[in-house]
């Protein structure tokens, strides 16, 4: 399955088809520089890439795909232990870097310096095989390598192009990390498959987004919160076609402020490293705050109760979300045990996320079953519902809810809240109790200055407490 359709000469080739942090490349220049990388790595079992937001990262990624060598993005801020684990576990003998990083510790791999000025003949892109090995966040142990095949990536991007009406006329703007699905596969390979331009802003600041002049914008909730808080920047996005939010739930207050200032109700979508994107609201459909919409083309979903039985699609009953579709990964690298745990006997992928599905098929993600499903006094409480209620309070900037052990109730609801004005825990508890069932109210509220997050803006709940 050819992934890089926009590099085959059938699309226009402006001098700034790819722009990353102010450095521009035409498609011809990108193909030539990537051809040099491909020639140097052909036959390698994998190519690790120190994935800074740079044209060198894009060149190395394209070079790996052209050579048929699986690309292993390495977070640039990974600590020594994490970087060593990724390099050794993936078996990558080469680490591609920009010239400024040529002295980086590569833990036995050979450092390959990428030069954007070099030019070489690009080989024909292979039709099948693994495209990427992406490492999970490692919140429950050492990161696992997720093997994504070329056909899965192509199916995922094509399904998004259909849902979002993504065409060669679009200019995609984002400033997301290039070592995750969101920033790299959607945010770089998307334009290289659809034929549109890419503007990566280096850092995802409101001002950079406002000045980029794009038609399609990607962001995580932290980015959109900052844009929504900068009125001139948010209003400057009025000329865009679509704003897309993902990687974590978008607070309803941010959704509504973006709509008020820019005129655009954001599209929200859901996916995982192991599945790519499987759910989304559509460019031509309804966009509800807090909802990730409907299954993409080719995707099937179901909700499963703790006893393995079906869950009614009533918009209220919680269940574990399971998915099937052509964009699912090939599994975990060298981890048959993890593969067995993540798949059901009849072939569904266990996402580990708790969700509800309405009678009209719209999906709402409540959170991770491991940390966001709270069992208190015989009730099953979704942390995401309580978090959404807290965020509706005018003196709350953000909130994270967890379950804490309790000898009487099993667990109690504990809320960590970033205040945006004078407020007390008692007031917030009463506020939630007025809007949700009384048993869902926080039994304890902790006011904090910030919440621990990963690079994509997800709250690291294991660090709360």
């Amino acid at each position: 399955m050819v992934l890089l359709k926009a590099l085959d000469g059938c699309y226009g080739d402006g001098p700034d088809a790819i722009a990353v942090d102010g450095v521009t490349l035409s498609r011809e220049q990108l193909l030539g520089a990537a051809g040099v990388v491909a020639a140097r790595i052909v036959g390698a079992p994998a190519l690790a890439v120190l994935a800074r937001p740079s044209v060198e990262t894009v060149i190395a990624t394209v070079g790996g795909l052209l050579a048929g060598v699986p690309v292993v993005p390495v977070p640039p801020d990974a600590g020594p232990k994490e970087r060593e684990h990724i390099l050794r576990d993936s078996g990558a003998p080469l680490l591609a870097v920009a010239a400024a990083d040529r002295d980086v510790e590569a833990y036995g791999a050979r450092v390959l310096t990428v030069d954007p000025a070099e030019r070489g003949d690009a080989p024909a892109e292979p039709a099948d095989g693994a495209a990427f090995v992406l490492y999970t966040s490692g919140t429950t142990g050492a990161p696992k390598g997720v093997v994504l095949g070329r056909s899965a990536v192509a199916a995922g991007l094509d399904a998004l192009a259909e849902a979002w009406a993504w065409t060669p006329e679009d200019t995609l703007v984002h400033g997301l990390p290039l070592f995750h699905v969101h920033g790299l596969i959607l945010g770089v390979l998307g334009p290289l498959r659809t034929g549109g331009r890419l503007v990566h802003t280096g850092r995802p600041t409101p001002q950079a987004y406002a000045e980029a002049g794009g038609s399609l914008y990607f962001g995580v909730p932290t980015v959109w919160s900052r844009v929504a808080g900068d009125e001139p920047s948010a209003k400057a996005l009025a000329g865009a076609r679509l704003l897309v939010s993902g990687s974590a739930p978008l607070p309803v207050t941010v959704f509504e402020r973006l709509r008020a200032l820019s005129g655009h109700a954001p599209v929200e979508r859901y996916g995982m490293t192991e599945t790519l994107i499987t759910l989304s609201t559509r460019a031509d459909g309804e966009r509800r705050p807090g909802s990730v919409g409907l299954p993409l083309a080719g995707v099937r979903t179901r909700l499963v109760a703790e006893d393995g039985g079906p869950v009614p699609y009533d918009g209220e009953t919680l269940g574990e979300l399971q998915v099937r579709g052509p964009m699912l990964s090939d599994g975990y690298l060298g981890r048959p045990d993890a593969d067995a745990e993540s798949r059901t006997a009849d072939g569904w992928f266990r996402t580990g996320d708790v969700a509800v599905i309405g009678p009209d098929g719209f999906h709402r993600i409540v959170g991770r079953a491991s940390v966001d499903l709270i069992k208190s006094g015989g009730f099953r409480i979704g942390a995401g519902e309580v978090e959404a209620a807290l965020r509706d309070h005018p003196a709350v900037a953000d909130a994270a809810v967890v379950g804490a052990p309790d000898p009487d109730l099993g667990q109690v609801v504990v809320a960590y809240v970033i205040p945006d004005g004078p407020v007390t825990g008692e007031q917030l508890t009463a506020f939630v109790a007025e809007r949700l069932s009384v048993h869902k109210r926080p039994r304890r509220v902790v006011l904090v200055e910030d919440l621990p997050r990963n690079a994509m803006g997800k709250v690291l709940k294991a660090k709360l407490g």
Side-chain angles (χ1 to χ4, degrees):
M1 175 68 68
V2 174
L3 285 176
L4 308 171
K5 294 196 299 185
L7 294 180
D8 65 6
C10 64
Y11 295 94
D13 189 30
D16 60 346
I18 304 292
V20 183
D21 201 14
V23 180
T24 62
L25 292 174
S26 68
R27 290 192 180 88
E28 182 180 6
Q29 290 170 332
L30 172 59
L31 191 62
V36 174
V37 173
R40 291 175 178 170
I41 66 172
V42 65
L47 172 68
V49 178
L50 190 62
R52 298 194 188 281
S54 66
V55 293
E56 287 88 351
T57 294
V58 177
I59 291 167
T61 299
V62 172
L65 294 173
L66 290 173
V69 175
V71 175
V72 184
V74 178
D77 60 350
K81 185 176 181 180
E82 181 182 0
R83 186 188 305 165
E84 181 178 13
H85 170 74
I86 292 173
L87 290 169
R88 296 195 187 284
D89 187 73
S90 67
L94 300 165
L95 175 62
V97 303
D101 291 309
R102 60 167 58 95
D103 295 326
V104 69
E105 173 60 64
Y107 300 99
R110 180 166 63 86
V111 172
L112 174 67
T113 303
V114 177
D115 184 352
E118 290 186 311
R119 301 289 179 266
D121 294 331
E125 185 183 347
D128 54 22
F132 292 94
V133 179
L134 267 65
Y135 278 78
T136 61
S137 60
T139 55
T140 57
K144 298 188 293 289
V146 177
V147 181
L148 292 167
R150 303 178 78 90
S151 61
V153 175
L157 291 174
D158 290 347
L160 288 176
E162 188 274 333
W164 297 344
W166 195 351
T167 75
E169 303 305 312
D170 278 309
T171 293
L172 170 64
V173 176
H174 73 90
L176 301 173
L178 298 187
F179 49 89
H180 282 295
V181 165
H182 198 168
L184 181 61
I185 294 182
L186 276 60
V188 173
L189 262 63
L192 293 180
R193 185 162 180 81
T194 62
R197 292 177 64 240
L198 166 64
V199 176
H200 190 290
T201 58
R203 295 180 62 247
T205 66
Q207 295 78 15
Y209 273 38
E211 294 169 1
S215 59
L216 179 61
Y217 285 79
F218 289 172
V220 297
T222 301
V223 171
W224 291 126
S225 178
R226 291 170 181 171
V227 171
D230 185 328
E231 186 170 335
S233 294
K235 287 183 174 179
L237 301 186
R241 185 178 66 79
L242 210 63
L243 311 182
V244 179
S245 182
S247 297
L250 183 68
V252 174
T253 52
V254 176
F255 181 105
E256 296 295 359
R257 183 163 174 79
L258 280 174
R259 175 157 55 184
L261 293 175
S262 72
H264 297 290
V267 160
E268 295 185 68
R269 88 301 182 281
Y270 165 82
M272 302 175 65
T273 305
E274 293 90 337
T275 67
L276 300 181
I277 308 305
T278 51
L279 298 164
S280 181
T281 50
R282 298 177 57 88
D284 60 356
E286 182 183 358
R287 305 172 206 172
R288 300 177 190 168
S291 171
V292 291
L294 303 166
L296 295 178
V299 174
R300 295 166 59 199
T301 66
R302 70 183 185 188
L303 292 183
V304 178
E306 286 184 292
D307 62 3
V311 171
Y313 293 178
D314 56 10
E316 295 291 338
T317 307
L318 304 175
E320 184 201 20
L321 179 65
Q322 298 182 355
V323 299
R324 300 185 74 162
M327 60 283 293
L328 267 63
S329 74
D330 294 333
Y332 297 105
L333 183 68
R335 291 291 304 275
D337 57 329
D339 289 338
E341 291 175 2
S342 66
R343 307 272 176 160
T344 66
D346 55 350
W348 292 75
F349 182 82
R350 297 185 173 103
T351 67
D353 283 320
V354 179
V356 297
I357 302 178
D360 57 2
F362 268 65
H363 292 58
R364 179 167 57 85
I365 306 300
V366 175
R368 298 296 293 168
S370 57
V371 295
D372 292 317
L373 182 60
I374 302 168
K375 300 174 183 178
S376 181
F379 294 103
R380 301 169 78 238
I381 303 166
E385 185 179 19
V386 184
E387 289 164 354
L390 286 165
R391 293 187 189 111
D392 283 341
H393 193 287
V396 171
D398 204 355
V401 167
V402 299
D406 181 80
D408 179 39
L409 297 174
Q411 288 182 303
V412 293
V413 177
V414 178
Y416 292 82
V417 173
I418 301 174
D420 188 23
V423 70
T424 66
E426 291 78 9
Q427 290 170 331
L428 293 175
T429 293
F431 183 82
V432 173
E434 291 170 358
R435 284 154 178 78
L436 305 177
S437 300
V438 173
H439 68 266
K440 297 178 181 180
R441 71 191 186 282
R443 300 299 181 111
R444 183 159 60 95
V445 175
V446 182
L447 301 180
V448 297
E449 293 184 358
D450 203 357
L451 296 168
R453 301 178 187 273
N454 66 12
M456 299 305 290
K458 292 183 180 180
V459 175
L460 302 173
K461 293 192 174 183
K463 294 187 176 182
L464 294 173

